[in-house]
Amino acid sequence: MTFKKTISLLGLFLVISFIYTLPMLRLTSPHFQLLQGDDLAFHFMRTFSMTDQLKEIGYPTGVGNFSPFQYAYGVNLFYPYETTVLPLALLTMAVGKIFKGYYLYVLLLTFLTLLSAYYGMRYFLKLQLLPLSDKGMKIAPFIFAVVYSFSQYRLVNIFMRTALGEGAAFVFLPLIMAGFFSLFFDQGKKKSWLIFGMAGLIYTHFVSSLLVVLFLVICLLLLIPKWSVTVWKQLIFSGAMAALLSAFCLVPMLEQMQHLDITGAYQASLVEGAQMTGSLAYLFSFVSPEKYSYYTVGIFILIPYLGSLLLFFLPGKKNLFRNKFGFLLLIMTGLLIFMTTNVFPWDYLEGSFIQIIQFPFRLNLLATLLGAVCGSLFFAEVLTAFSKHSGLLITVSLLLYLATPLVVSQYLTSQKIMEKYTTATDLQKDGYYNEVSLSMFDYLPKIADPYEYLNKQGKINQEKTTIDYTMTGNRAKVNTEKIVANSAVELPLAGYKGVTVKDSDGKDLSFKVAKNGKIRLTKFPKDEFVTVIYQATLLYKVSFFVSAATLILLPIILKFRNTRGSK
C-alpha cells in the first residue's frame, strides 16, 4: 500500500470513528450521554481514584483511595488499568470532565480497532487459507474492519455496559489471531503481533485473555498436522515473551493472592449467567429495550453468518467455505454463537474450568470475531459476483452498519441516561450508583461483613468502632482521637503485602495482619496520628523492570531472530 493510500485509509477510519461515537452525543442539547449500565459506576469511580493519585503523587499505585467513598482499596493490584483506566484518567484530566474524556477514549479505541481489524484480516487473507478472489481479497479487510468494529456486542460494552476492559479487548483479537496463524503458515513472520496482542489483552481484561488462551489451545489441537519443531519453538518463544511483557500485571496480583485470603470476583452459575443472553430468538435482536436481550452477537453478525452457511451449500468447485479451513470456521462460529444462549446445556459444565469466564455472554467476544470473518467473506464473495454494481452494493451495505450508532443513539435518548457526572461526589449523590457501588468488594480480604472496610469499622480492645482515616496517594493517615495509648487496635485497612505502619515521627511500628486480613497493632502508640503506607514490594518492582526491559529489548531480539532465520 502506497503512502498516499495509507493516509487516505487512516483519514477514512478517523471519519468512521467519529460516526461510531455519535451515540454519546445528545443531538438535542450540547451534552454527552451514556446508558446507566452495569459497570459504569465502578469504572468511573476507578477513574476518579486514578486522577486523584496522578494529581497527588504523579503515578498510579496498587492501593489507593477509592472514590467517592474514600476508603483504601487495592483495586489496581487485581484489575488491569494500563490500557483502560489510566488513559481514561489522563484524558479526563486533559479535558476536565470524565464524559469528554470517555468520548475521546472511545474515539481512540474505535480508530485502533479499525486499524487492527483491517491489517489483521488483510494479512490473514494473504495466507490463502480460503479460495477468495483477488477482488474479494482487496475489499474483505475493509468490510471486516467495519463489521467487527460496529458489532452489537462491542456497542453494548462501550455504550450500554461501559465495560472498559471488554470494550478495549476488541483492539487486540485480530492481531492475536493473525500472529497465531503466521506461526503455522508463514514461518512466524507476524509473531510480534501475537506477542504484543496477547500482552495487551492481559493488561486490558484478564478474563478475556484466559478465554482467548483456551481458544488458541483448541486451534492448536485442530492444527496438529501443521506441528513441527520450528512451530513449537516459535510458539514457546511467543508465549514466553508475552508472559514477560505481562509480568507487571500478573506478578503483583498473584503475590497478593498468595499473601491474603482474597475475595474473588463475583461468580454466578453458568445457567444463571446464560439467562442474560436469552434464547435463540434473541440472536435476532438489536438493542432491544429488554435489559438483557442485547447480550448477543446481534442480527448484523448473525445474518451474514447465515449467508455464509448458505454459500457453503451452494454448488461449485471453488466454494469459499468448502475447504477444510472454511468448514472449521463455520462450525466454530456456529458453536460459539449457540453457546452464548440459554439453550446450550450449561448445567453440565457447572464447576468445570470453563466457569472462569463468569458469564456465557463473554463468549460473544470470540463469536463476534469469527462471525465478522464469516460476514466479511460472505459480503466480499457476493458483492464481487456483481462486478458491475459492486461499488454501489458495497457502499449501501456498509452504510447499514455505519447507521447503527444512530439507532443506538435514539435508544439511549429514550432510556434513563446520565450526562451530569463530573466528579466522584456526583456519583455518590445518585441513589442508584450508591447502591451498585456498595456491592463492589471484589479482591478485598475475605471478611464476614465487607462493609466494614467501606464504613471504616475497626476494633479497639475487641470492641467495634469507627476509626477514621484520610487517604492521600498510597498513604492512609489514621485519626487517633478515639484511641487510648497501648490499646489493641484493629484498623479498618487491608494488610496487603508491602504495607508499613509508621508513627508521627516516621518510625516503623510493629503490626500483624489478622486472619480477616486487617492490620492489627497490639500496643497502639501515643501519637497524634499514625500513617499506613502501601509500598511497592520487591516483586512488584522487579516485575515492572522485567516488563519494561522486555518491551525495550524485544524489537531488537525479534529483528535478530528474523535476520538469522533469513540466512
Side-chain angles (χ1 to χ4, degrees), residues 330-375:
L330 289 176
I331 294 297
M332 293 181 74
T333 305
L335 179 60
L336 282 169
I337 292 174
F338 178 57
M339 289 178 72
T340 63
T341 71
N342 62 11
V343 180
F344 184 82
W346 282 108
D347 50 322
Y348 290 103
L349 295 177
E350 292 284 11
S352 67
F353 66 92
I354 196 66
Q355 201 148 3
I356 60 173
I357 68 174
Q358 292 181 294
F359 308 103
F361 71 74
R362 295 199 192 281
L363 292 171
N364 280 310
L365 183 67
L366 290 171
T368 295
L369 175 71
L370 298 189
V373 171
C374 291

Side-chain angles (χ1 to χ4, degrees), residues 140-151:
F142 182 76
I143 295 174
F144 172 73
V146 174
V147 172
Y148 177 70
S149 301
F150 281 68
S151 58

